[in-house]
Amino acid sequence: MRKLKRYASLYWLFLLQRFKVLMEYRVNFLIGASSTIFIQAASLMTVWVVMGQVPSLNGWTIDEIFMIYGLLTLAKSINHMFADNLWTLGHEYIRPGGFDRFLVRPINPLFHLLADRFCHDGIGNFLVGLVLVMRGFENLSIPWSLGNIAYLVLAVLAGGSIFIALNLITCVTSFWIMNSVPVTLAVFQTHEFTKYPLNIYGKMIGVAMTWLIPYGLASYYPASYLLGRDVGYMAWAMVPVAAVLLAAGYRFWLFGLKHYGGTGS
Amino acid sequence: MPIIEVDDLSKVFRLNQKEPGLRGAFKALFKPNYTDKVAVDHLSFSVDPGEIVGYIGVNGAGKSTTIKMLTGILAPSGGAVRVLGRDPHSQRVANARDIGVVFGQRTQLWWDLALIESLNLIAKIYEVEPARYKQLLDQFSETLELDELLKVPVRQMSLGQKMRAELAATLIHEPKVVYLDEPTIGLDVMVKERIREFIKQQNREKQTTVILTTHDLGDIEELCQRVIIIDAGKVIYDGPISTIKDRFGKYRTITFETGSASTAGLALPDGTELVANEPRKLVVRFDRTRTTASQVAGALMEQADVVDFSLAEPDLESIIKQIYSGALREEVAV
Amino acid sequence: MRSLRRYWRVYSAFAANAVKLMMAYSVWFWVELLGQIFMLIIFVYFWKAVYANTETVSGMRAAETLNYILIAQIVAPLVRWSLILDIGGAIRQGTVAIEFTRPVDFQARWYVEWTSQMLFQAIRLALPLGAVAMICFGLRLPADPAVWGYFIVSFLLGNAVLFCFDWAFACLAFYTTEAWGLHILREGVAAFFSGALLPLQMLPGWLQKGAAFLPFGQALNAPVSILTGITPVSQAPAVIGTQLIWLVGLFLFSRFFFGVASRKVTVQGG
């Protein structure tokens, strides 16, 4: 408990310092924070233009599609804000030698890596996701009940954890290979599939995005649940899957750390 | 009781030779081609609390690998390390509380943060008690002249300012053992002096144990009572500076001034070598285990018209230079 | 003539270097290819689902739209790829000053480097993508050599237009402190208004007007429309004429703006 408190206050301090630096370059902060909005806007406008001319996409209306898109974007933004530094483990810490610094400090090195850089670019994603989901609640008359809000928070946190865990697993390969970014990117970019209803794809892709690279658990199933479509226990699958993936990711991290202790590179 | 104990320590790296490109990467993955590289080879020494030890050797001699094992970054492949009675690798976090490390040119401060903000963060990471932190900050500000630097971000500091800031950050949690890797490299004389003074003061007042790797003779002469020299992963010397000369000053040189210009066809005694042969000047180097100064001088006086000659004592600087240029290796092997 | 040969030698050396640099990142290539294939799959299924309930969208039939999207997605990486980060970075780090001292025109050199990298990418990435699109998704390509001729001219012109736009836009890095934001802004706007995600012909009227005021459509929608037959061959010369007007205008502007912006820096000493 004392440890948890200590880490929480440390994270807060890291975050504060980070914002002090960001505020020094205010224009860049604003551009960065809003940057992802522009990229999301391109996809969203495409959906908007197309859906203006057809009533539904495999039974999904535009509001429902935006709900799926919004849930995914919220989950992604959690990863983007709090765990973006994982991407840089290889090229900014291990290879230049800065990772050694983490190992001579009396705190958890993974915590140190994550706390070292809060990524403000994720704020834009968060806002886009939030607006889409809130818009969905309004337009689709989903009640703002305590249960629904709690479910939403749970789904976003679990979905964010799935993103973080998958990035952690692929980034830990930096302990062995020169450049892990392509590996991480290869897995990460599959999340594009899950911005749209999984049932528009063939069965194989649907299964892959649910069980193999389970980004679908962060968007398609929670959206279905909130929209009152029956997906059974799959509405809750993101929680145990996130827990298992996080545990596996941390195990793999420790294994990578052990390897690093053997080779120092 | 020693604060650092290194017992029969070894580190062997397995290198996987990789060919470039994707094909090479796959080949390395499925059909690895390993070669072993011994970086540290059955090393043993111990350091007492309050000692300042110079740890020197050529690049690649195993210095930084040893330091990485002492700090807990690397796990030994053989033998044992104890720092304050702990195994630094398996008890890494506990060990980290009691040590401070300066990694040469790589700063531990946050690039964009004002120095004071970096120090605050580091104090929190090491859980320095706030009252004590304030006290130390005042002390350090005075001895390292940090006052006008506290509000400056590291990216705007000069090399000397950075190193002063770095030392403050490294010692703010009052570590019992400090590892300093090239703390004075590239600095001007004034800053070097200040930094040495600070290290000495910390050592004197708090009994801080210091392990110092450096290329700088001044650092060694001013700070270290004791020097450990390693080569090819082995200790080749461990003792006070004063006896290095006896151990490694095997060669001496005599410079002769000659009257006549021609000095062709000289016969030199065994263990002697002509280093320079100029008109009116001869420089001869000899191995004092095989011959003596008087034998060399006698032999030359018989053959050439010697006007004057002088015998040069081996100085520490040239010995250190020899150590770092790798010339010692052959000498030890003889 | 001799000076022409000298220019050729100098610039071809830069071009060869740029290509060599790209070859080094082979793992990147595979991942990028994979990502592009994912995008192809997503778009094909998305549009198939769209056309499941309707015959036409904005007067375009399923086969026509799919063909457009496949080609647009194959060409898209070339449009997405901007030199804003590179030029902006050079401006930020002050390496631009070194460029001024070289005896070759700064902009011409970057154009040669950028275009050769782009063409290299085009061949390396577009060929396998095209093969995948043909085998798996029924991509149809025209047989008429005139269409191909117009396409290639239009494609190169469009990329030159984009180059000049990026050049002028990157010069804003002389004023702002980072090029990253500019890069992202350009990426987002270009993704939509180039027609990489859907044919610009499908946009509602007011958006189509907006798109016409931006240069991005010239780089993607124009050549892809020619290749897919959305623009008939008879109208291709008019499209190319428009592109030429864009090119001349943006070229002059980019030179002018670079001059103004860089003078500001030299006066202030960086």
Side-chain angles (χ1 to χ4, degrees):
Chain A
M1 201 55 216
R2 199 193 85 85
K3 206 171 169 185
L4 197 72
K5 222 176 119 192
R6 171 162 183 246
Y7 277 105
S9 80
L10 263 178
Y11 193 88
W12 177 241
L13 266 174
F14 271 93
L15 198 63
L16 249 121
Q17 301 301 350
R18 174 80 182 141
F19 270 100
K20 266 185 210 158
V21 173
L22 288 173
M23 284 307 125
E24 265 188 65
Y25 310 97
R26 210 158 308 188
V27 178
N28 287 318
F29 171 75
L30 288 174
I31 291 176
S34 56
S35 61
T36 42
I37 295 177
F38 291 105
I39 296 182
Q40 301 294 5
S43 315
L44 291 171
M45 272 171 69
T46 305
V47 174
W48 176 72
V49 168
V50 175
M51 294 305 288
Q53 310 195 33
V54 291
S56 82
L57 196 70
N58 241 20
W60 295 79
T61 65
I62 180 166
D63 291 329
E64 292 172 328
I65 293 172
F66 279 169
M67 190 76 182
I68 295 176
Y69 198 109
L71 279 169
L72 185 88
T73 308
L74 273 181
K76 189 166 92 164
S77 77
I78 302 292
N79 169 55
H80 198 169
M81 288 189 288
F82 300 107
D84 199 61
N85 218 21
L86 284 174
W87 290 87
T88 68
L89 171 65
H91 59 270
E92 275 180 28
Y93 293 94
I94 294 176
R95 242 179 305 146
F99 192 71
D100 288 352
R101 176 57 60 192
F102 289 172
L103 296 178
V104 296
R105 283 201 170 139
I107 54 175
N108 185 310
L110 180 59
F111 169 83
H112 204 323
L113 176 69
L114 295 180
D116 227 28
R117 198 171 60 93
F118 167 86
C119 187
H120 62 288
D121 293 0
I123 296 173
N125 270 336
F126 181 76
L127 292 177
V128 169
L130 195 66
V131 167
L132 287 175
V133 169
M134 281 171 61
R135 183 185 168 283
F137 267 71
E138 288 303 319
N139 288 6
L140 297 162
S141 342
I142 302 169
W144 283 103
S145 66
L146 210 62
N148 276 347
I149 293 171
Y151 180 82
L152 179 65
V153 172
L154 188 71
V156 169
L157 289 181
S161 303
I162 290 174
F163 268 95
I164 293 173
L166 289 177
N167 271 11
L168 177 61
I169 289 168
T170 50
C171 288
V172 166
T173 57
S174 315
F175 286 115
W176 290 270
I177 60 179
M178 275 293 270
N179 189 355
S180 71
V181 176
V183 180
T184 309
L185 187 62
V187 174
F188 178 77
Q189 64 195 2
T190 61
H191 83 267
E192 295 283 343
F193 285 102
T194 58
K195 286 178 173 173
Y196 308 100
L198 278 186
N199 66 356
I200 67 168
Y201 308 110
K203 195 161 182 205
M204 228 172 69
I205 293 175
V207 170
M209 295 317 295
T210 306
W211 297 113
L212 192 65
I213 306 176
Y215 290 127
L217 295 179
S219 64
Y220 182 69
Y221 298 99
S224 300
Y225 174 83
L226 285 170
L227 296 169
R229 292 169 180 238
D230 188 20
V231 284
Y233 63 88
M234 284 306 290
W236 303 93
M238 71 275 178
V239 179
V241 169
V244 168
L245 279 178
L246 274 183
Y250 192 65
R251 269 293 162 90
F252 191 42
W253 163 266
L254 291 179
F255 183 64
L257 215 53
K258 202 175 156 205
H259 175 81
Y260 185 84
T263 62
S265 62
Chain B
M1 203 181 116
I3 194 162
I4 298 176
E5 288 170 276
V6 175
D7 184 23
D8 205 27
L9 181 69
S10 292
K11 183 73 197 175
V12 181
F13 291 116
R14 279 193 106 184
L15 301 175
N16 188 353
Q17 239 65 32
K18 232 182 279 181
E19 287 163 42
L22 192 66
R23 189 141 49 103
F26 270 110
K27 225 169 136 190
L29 204 60
F30 296 112
K31 206 177 146 221
N33 176 19
Y34 289 117
T35 45
D36 283 352
K37 185 180 173 287
V38 181
V40 170
D41 192 3
H42 300 282
L43 208 63
S44 297
F45 62 84
S46 67
V47 177
D48 286 326
E51 271 195 285
I52 302 184
V53 177
Y55 193 62
I56 61 182
V58 213
N59 288 333
K63 271 179 306 177
S64 62
T65 306
T66 318
I67 300 288
K68 281 183 180 179
M69 287 192 280
L70 288 172
T71 49
I73 294 168
L74 288 180
S77 26
V81 184
R82 297 254 135 200
V83 176
L84 290 142
R86 297 190 197 98
D87 169 16
H89 186 69
S90 65
Q91 294 166 277
R92 202 172 43 71
V93 173
N95 180 59
R97 283 181 193 281
D98 288 327
I99 65 165
V101 192
V102 170
F103 285 122
Q105 307 287 9
R106 293 199 310 258
T107 181
Q108 65 163 309
L109 300 158
W110 284 264
W111 200 242
D112 287 313
L113 290 184
L115 173 57
I116 182 71
E117 315 263 21
S118 275
L119 291 176
N120 287 343
L121 209 49
I122 289 168
K124 281 280 190 258
I125 290 174
Y126 285 94
E127 297 181 282
V128 183
E129 205 216 320
R132 181 67 183 150
Y133 171 58
K134 209 177 161 304
Q135 205 179 351
L136 284 169
L137 197 59
D138 288 344
Q139 245 183 55
F140 288 3
S141 299
E142 203 190 306
T143 40
L144 288 168
E145 286 180 6
L146 295 177
D147 276 330
E148 74 278 33
L149 286 183
L150 285 176
K151 293 227 162 60
V152 180
V154 178
R155 70 180 133 84
Q156 288 170 12
M157 290 184 186
S158 71
L159 206 58
Q161 291 173 330
K162 249 184 244 168
M163 188 46 76
R164 276 149 57 198
E166 188 71 24
L167 278 173
T170 305
L171 288 151
I172 200 77
H173 64 288
E174 300 180 274
K176 298 194 178 73
V177 182
V178 180
Y179 304 93
L180 304 174
D181 181 16
E182 301 286 358
T184 61
I185 195 164
L187 304 182
D188 67 57
V189 185
M190 294 292 285
V191 182
K192 270 186 190 175
E193 211 39 62
R194 182 163 303 284
I195 283 175
R196 286 173 192 157
E197 213 33 67
F198 179 72
I199 295 170
K200 264 195 255 183
Q201 184 201 14
Q202 291 297 308
N203 168 262
R204 200 168 50 232
E205 289 172 6
K206 294 171 190 162
Q207 286 292 296
T208 310
T209 308
V210 180
I211 306 289
L212 172 75
T213 71
T214 183
H215 280 66
D216 192 300
L217 178 70
D219 289 348
I220 297 170
E221 279 189 325
E222 279 200 41
L223 293 171
C224 308
Q225 300 95 348
R226 176 182 161 198
V227 172
I228 297 174
I229 304 174
I230 66 162
D231 191 55
K234 291 192 170 89
V235 174
I236 57 173
Y237 177 82
D238 181 352
I241 300 176
S242 52
T243 56
I244 292 185
K245 288 179 190 172
D246 301 337
R247 177 81 172 75
F248 296 109
K250 204 167 86 168
Y251 291 103
R252 297 201 176 179
T253 50
I254 310 181
T255 307
F256 295 93
E257 213 181 291
T258 54
S260 63
S262 166
T263 48
L266 286 173
L268 296 169
D270 270 359
T272 314
E273 186 192 348
L274 196 58
V275 184
N277 185 359
E278 293 160 21
R280 301 188 185 282
K281 192 180 161 198
L282 279 174
V283 182
V284 173
R285 193 170 83 137
F286 69 94
D287 180 345
R288 69 189 170 95
T289 59
R290 289 166 67 191
T291 181
T292 62
S294 57
Q295 271 176 358
V296 177
L300 270 145
M301 278 193 243
E302 273 173 24
Q303 299 173 58
D305 170 24
V306 173
V307 180
D308 194 7
F309 70 90
S310 60
L311 177 64
E313 271 293 309
D315 61 321
L316 192 60
E317 191 174 350
S318 63
I319 291 171
I320 299 290
K321 258 190 205 148
Q322 277 178 50
I323 291 170
Y324 277 114
S325 67
L328 261 188
R329 200 165 284 179
E330 41 179 305
E331 214 164 296
V332 173
V334 172
Chain C
M1 200 55 219
R2 245 189 68 199
S3 78
L4 202 67
R5 207 173 312 140
R6 187 185 89 85
Y7 278 128
W8 166 251
R9 255 210 324 274
V10 171
Y11 288 117
S12 64
F14 281 125
N17 262 334
V19 171
K20 252 187 232 155
L21 214 66
M22 304 267 342
M23 296 278 269
Y25 300 102
S26 60
V27 186
W28 279 106
F29 164 72
W30 293 108
V31 174
E32 200 181 351
L33 182 62
L34 192 70
Q36 282 315 120
I37 292 175
F38 288 160
M39 293 315 285
L40 280 187
I41 298 172
I42 291 172
F43 276 101
V44 167
Y45 279 109
F46 178 80
W47 285 100
K48 277 193 173 154
V50 168
Y51 278 100
N53 297 320
T54 180
E55 279 287 302
T56 60
V57 177
S58 296
M60 286 178 72
R61 305 185 138 270
E64 207 179 1
T65 306
L66 264 182
N67 222 32
Y68 175 94
I69 285 299
L70 286 172
I71 295 174
Q73 279 299 306
I74 291 167
V75 181
L78 310 173
V79 176
R80 187 163 63 226
W81 196 42
S82 86
L83 74 166
I84 292 175
L85 274 186
D86 299 329
I87 295 192
I91 289 170
R92 289 303 309 149
Q93 288 160 13
T95 43
V96 161
I98 300 166
E99 304 278 358
F100 287 143
T101 64
R102 297 196 199 198
V104 284
D105 183 74
F106 182 28
Q107 195 180 18
R109 196 200 113 198
W110 276 73
Y111 176 70
V112 170
E113 271 187 8
W114 188 70
T115 314
S116 49
Q117 280 188 25
M118 197 245 339
L119 289 176
F120 179 73
Q121 277 279 55
I123 292 161
R124 212 164 73 139
L125 203 60
L127 285 184
L129 272 179
V132 169
M134 264 164 140
I135 296 162
C136 305
F137 307 118
L139 169 70
R140 289 167 299 113
L141 292 172
D144 185 356
V147 172
W148 279 100
Y150 281 127
F151 167 74
I152 289 168
V153 171
S154 170
F155 178 72
L156 289 174
L157 277 176
N159 272 285
V161 168
L162 202 60
F163 173 83
C164 291
F165 173 83
D166 281 352
W167 186 273
F169 199 58
C171 286
L172 288 176
F174 279 115
Y175 301 94
T176 72
T177 42
E178 232 181 304
W180 176 248
L182 296 173
H183 167 78
I184 293 285
L185 180 67
R186 141 78 161 81
E187 188 177 330
V189 175
F192 186 75
F193 285 104
S194 65
L197 302 174
L198 81 172
L200 292 182
Q201 290 83 346
M202 280 190 187
L203 298 186
W206 60 278
L207 264 179
Q208 266 196 50
K209 275 189 201 123
F213 279 105
L214 293 168
F216 307 113
Q218 304 302 325
L220 196 141
N221 194 64
V224 174
S225 293
I226 291 177
L227 195 63
T228 50
I230 294 172
T231 304
V233 186
S234 58
Q235 282 173 33
V239 170
I240 286 171
T242 314
Q243 285 181 307
L244 272 172
I245 295 169
W246 268 105
L247 180 60
V248 171
L250 274 175
F251 172 71
L252 293 176
F253 179 70
S254 70
R255 299 291 286 203
F256 169 74
F257 190 47
F258 184 78
V260 172
S262 62
R263 202 163 306 128
K264 173 192 171 270
V265 170
T266 19
V267 167
Q268 290 184 349

